[in-house]
Structures are given as C-alpha cells and as structure tokens.
C-alpha cells in the first residue's frame, strides 16, 4: 500500500488546477489527483533473494489557462509543494 500526500508549501496555496500523477517503473499510471490531497494505490511485486526496489515517479503539472492564470499571481501562491510518500508491506 502506497500513499502520496501532496500539499501546498507552508503559508502558500497551491496553484489550481494542478494535476499530480504517479507512474510505476513501467510507465503505467497508478494514480492521479487534481488539486492537493492523497493518491493511494496498492502494488505487488515478487520478492528477491538479494533485496529489491521499485521506482515510482510523481509528476506535477500546472496547465496554463490564460483566462484564470492572473488569479494565482502574487506572493500568496507558490510553485513549491510538499510531497510525502509512505508505504507499507504485508
């Protein structure tokens, strides 16, 4: 079980409509979220004798929208996000 928590940096608001996507090492999308919040997913892979790892990529995109971009100008908004990833195994 994997959880990816996405939040605005301290004292800031996220620029909407940000879109966060998590892909696995095969390039398959395993979760997506519009705005801040949590992407949760379950993944399984075989155990290895000499240790193992599995890579996930978090991509954040702020699509431009010229009709509302000016709403997110100024010091109250930022492009910095906090991303926290936790995982558990069974």
């Amino acid at each position: 079980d994997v959880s990816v928590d996405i939040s605005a940096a301290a004292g800031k608001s996220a620029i909407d409509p940000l879109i966060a996507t998590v892909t696995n090492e095969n390039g398959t999308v395993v979760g997506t979220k519009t705005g801040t919040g949590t992407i949760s997913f379950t993944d399984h892979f075989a155990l290895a004798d000499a240790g193992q790892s599995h890579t996930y990529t978090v991509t954040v995109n702020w699509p431009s929208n010229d009709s509302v971009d000016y709403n997110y100008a100024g010091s109250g908004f930022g492009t910095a996000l906090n991303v926290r990833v936790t995982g558990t195994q069974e």
Side-chain angles (χ1 to χ4, degrees):
D1 295 330
V2 180
S3 292
V4 179
D5 297 316
I6 301 166
S7 61
K12 303 289 184 181
S13 295
I15 297 173
D16 287 326
L18 75 88
I19 300 169
T21 304
V22 178
T23 55
N24 65 18
E25 57 191 22
N26 298 320
T28 303
V29 173
V30 294
T32 188
K33 176 78 175 157
T34 300
T36 57
T38 302
I39 300 170
S40 296
F41 59 94
T42 300
D43 199 1
H44 304 279
F45 47 92
L47 295 175
D49 292 335
Q52 61 204 30
S53 67
H54 206 69
T55 302
Y56 298 96
T57 303
V58 178
T59 305
V60 178
N61 182 33
W62 282 282
S64 179
N65 179 343
D66 291 337
S67 65
V68 298
D69 282 349
Y70 66 88
N71 290 334
Y72 303 101
S75 62
F77 295 91
T79 56
L81 291 174
N82 296 319
V83 178
R84 183 176 57 124
V85 180
T86 56
T88 58
Q89 67 180 21
E90 294 180 14

